[in-house]
Amino acid sequence: MKLVILIAGAGALGSVCRFALSGAVYSAFGQSFPYGTLAVNVIGSFLLGLLMQLGMSTDLIPPHLRTAVAIGFLGAFTTFSTFTYETVQLIQDGAWGSVALNIMTSLALGIAAVVAGIFTGRMLAGGS
């Protein structure tokens, strides 16, 4: 039950952080492209890679905390459903260039961010 409460609390915090960050990004760059969703997904991908690398290769992050952050915070912080919805909106608008850019950028930067997070975690853990 303790883990469920930790996941729920982390999820609440993750969703509030997502709202704040994506709103700030949209305010800075406008809403002509899903910049806010892209930002939270790339940052969340990096953080998940970092968290899992540190959590699995060191004792810095206890398993219950790793689970709460990965499932709760990052699960609520990142958003595949919003990414797909915004992509469908671009399709309906006939913005095919933005559709391709959104899909390719989200996937490429998401994968690169996970790799960067893993690499950073390895470096912080003192491993190779």
Side-chain angles (χ1 to χ4, degrees):
M1 190 62 174
K2 176 183 171 186
L3 184 58
V4 171
I5 293 169
L6 283 172
I7 291 169
L13 182 60
S15 61
V16 170
C17 289
R18 172 181 153 207
F19 175 76
L21 179 60
S22 64
V25 170
Y26 282 125
S27 292
F29 295 100
Q31 296 193 6
S32 62
F33 186 81
Y35 297 110
T37 302
L38 178 63
V40 298
N41 285 339
V42 171
I43 291 167
S45 294
F46 172 81
L47 292 174
L48 183 60
L50 176 63
L51 173 74
M52 295 307 290
Q53 182 61 42
L54 287 176
M56 301 299 281
S57 65
T58 72
D59 293 331
L60 294 174
I61 304 168
H64 69 282
L65 182 58
R66 183 179 68 237
T67 300
V69 173
I71 294 172
F73 181 84
L74 293 173
F77 182 71
T78 60
T79 171
F80 187 74
S81 59
T82 301
F83 159 72
T84 55
Y85 177 80
E86 290 171 340
T87 302
V88 168
Q89 291 300 112
L90 292 169
I91 291 169
Q92 290 175 341
D93 292 344
W96 294 103
S98 290
V99 169
L101 180 64
N102 191 35
I103 292 169
M104 290 186 306
T105 303
S106 294
L107 289 176
L109 290 179
I111 291 168
V114 166
V115 170
I118 291 169
F119 177 77
T120 302
R122 285 183 183 157
M123 300 312 294
L124 291 172
S128 57

